[in-house]
Amino acid sequence: MPGSAHSAAADGTLHNGHAEATASGSVPVVHSFVKGLIYLPSAKPASRVAESASASHSDAPAGANPAVAYSLIDAPPAAECAWCGHRFDGADTRRPGRTRCSRCGVATTSPWPSDEQLGDAYAVWYRPTAGRFSGAGDAVLKRTRSALANGRDAVGVDPYSNGANPHVRAVEFEEMTGEWSAVIFWHSLEHLRRPVRSLRHAAELIVPGGMLIVAVPNATSMQARLFGDRWLALDLPRHLVHIDPPALLSQLEELGFRIERVSYLRGGQVLFGWLHGLVGRFPGHPDLYDTIRRSEARQAAQSPAFRLYALGAAVVALPVAAVGTAIEVARRAGGTIYVQARREQKAS
Ligand SMILES: [Zn+2]
């Protein structure tokens, strides 16, 4: 979803290379050997796209509870918290498709999908080559997302990249080396099997005084509580962890970061989360996210009449969604959390 992504990179400190004297005189110039790094894992290995293209759509009927449908897959329940490593026992809260850790408050997707099941969940329908959204959706998404890196010396990291984009490296994030002035996890941390290990690696890559930016869905937001199993950003099983803001903030501090800014709006998707949730309450549980996608990018088929019904429901729900957004952001319980943190000058 296009969100306020464009504003996330507006801070010049993202690109604060080292000042050095030029050979000819004493004027300091910015030397960009320290680069920005953006982590954006996306699709699945290209080799697997073809084989699963035909079977990639959800088997669950349209309108089914997506969390309950996911909880029925053939995989073992998550044995431990993917965030803090706590072994699950009777004290943890089990809900369809996820288990909330009694120690850290982060929920882990359960059953825990195999690599193959996860690959199928990222199959071709999720991100077709032609684009995901109908109408102007893809253009808006491209403009807001690419603005994150525009004018900056930045690289993307996507282990499943097909190599077509020279600015994206097809490696795992933890294979990245070097010194970086910033690392950005833009709606990507929740897709990782070991998110805290990735944060720790980011702390090693970022130079003292450098910046870490994280935007993730807020699993304890008002909209997450209200819409429950049908919350847009639950997105099982692609989202493997469902993060509680205090757990994220305390983890960053533990890794030697100083929190400079927290926003419950800037991460985007807040209004759409409400709209999607409210439309899902209408008879037949229309999936608005599917409705605005191209037909080949939908999880389940939608007739033109049903699409029209879903879009009409969205128009009706819009004022309520706007009010819901305003309330949850004001209460610092918005649908996403955006954190800007600086690595302390002295290594911790
Ligand atoms: Zn935990």
Side-chain angles (χ1 to χ4, degrees), residues 81 84 101 104:
C81 172
C84 79
C101 177
C104 73

Side-chain angles (χ1 to χ4, degrees), residues 81-86 88 101-106:
C81 172
W83 187 260
C84 79
H86 163 69
F88 287 140
C101 177
S102 60
R103 189 166 85 183
C104 73
V106 172

Side-chain angles (χ1 to χ4, degrees), residues 62-66 226-227 230 272-288 291 302 305-321:
N65 179 318
L226 186 61
F227 301 125
R230 293 183 184 276
F272 190 78
W274 274 91
L275 211 47
H276 181 273
L278 291 169
V279 169
R281 291 281 177 94
F282 278 66
H285 303 295
D287 184 319
L288 185 62
T291 298
Q302 288 189 1
F306 192 78
R307 286 190 75 203
L308 211 57
Y309 163 58
L311 292 171
V315 172
V316 172
L318 185 58
V320 181

Side-chain angles (χ1 to χ4, degrees), residues 87-108:
R87 295 285 301 182
F88 287 140
D89 50 41
D92 307 287
T93 311
R94 287 166 198 269
R95 300 190 53 195
R98 70 276 194 203
T99 299
R100 186 164 189 247
C101 177
S102 60
R103 189 166 85 183
C104 73
V106 172
T108 297

Side-chain angles (χ1 to χ4, degrees), residues 39 72 206 271 299 312:
Y39 187 52
L72 301 176
I206 297 171
L271 178 66
Q299 291 195 66

Side-chain angles (χ1 to χ4, degrees), residues 194-280:
R194 296 185 184 84
V196 172
R197 202 171 77 176
S198 297
L199 287 175
R200 190 172 295 124
H201 187 65
E204 290 166 4
L205 296 179
I206 297 171
V207 295
M211 190 81 89
L212 175 70
I213 290 175
V214 177
V216 291
N218 176 3
T220 52
S221 59
M222 277 176 60
Q223 58 177 263
R225 294 170 191 272
L226 186 61
F227 301 125
D229 291 353
R230 293 183 184 276
W231 183 42
L232 173 69
L234 202 54
D235 200 19
L236 300 168
R238 287 168 293 274
H239 291 185
L240 293 165
V241 288
H242 310 274
I243 299 170
D244 185 32
L248 175 62
L249 297 175
S250 63
Q251 184 62 63
L252 294 182
E253 284 173 344
E254 202 175 295
L255 290 171
F257 288 99
R258 192 177 67 249
I259 309 296
E260 292 195 338
R261 180 171 178 188
V262 176
S263 168
Y264 290 88
L265 176 63
R266 206 173 190 180
Q269 305 186 16
V270 181
L271 178 66
F272 190 78
W274 274 91
L275 211 47
H276 181 273
L278 291 169
V279 169

Side-chain angles (χ1 to χ4, degrees), residues 55-64 66 69 125-126 238 284-304 306-307 310:
S56 61
H57 287 226
S58 167
D59 292 332
W125 67 264
Y126 181 70
R238 287 168 293 274
H285 303 295
D287 184 319
L288 185 62
Y289 185 58
D290 251 11
T291 298
I292 64 165
R293 291 162 73 92
R294 292 166 188 260
S295 58
E296 65 271 30
R298 278 179 211 136
Q299 291 195 66
Q302 288 189 1
S303 71
F306 192 78
R307 286 190 75 203

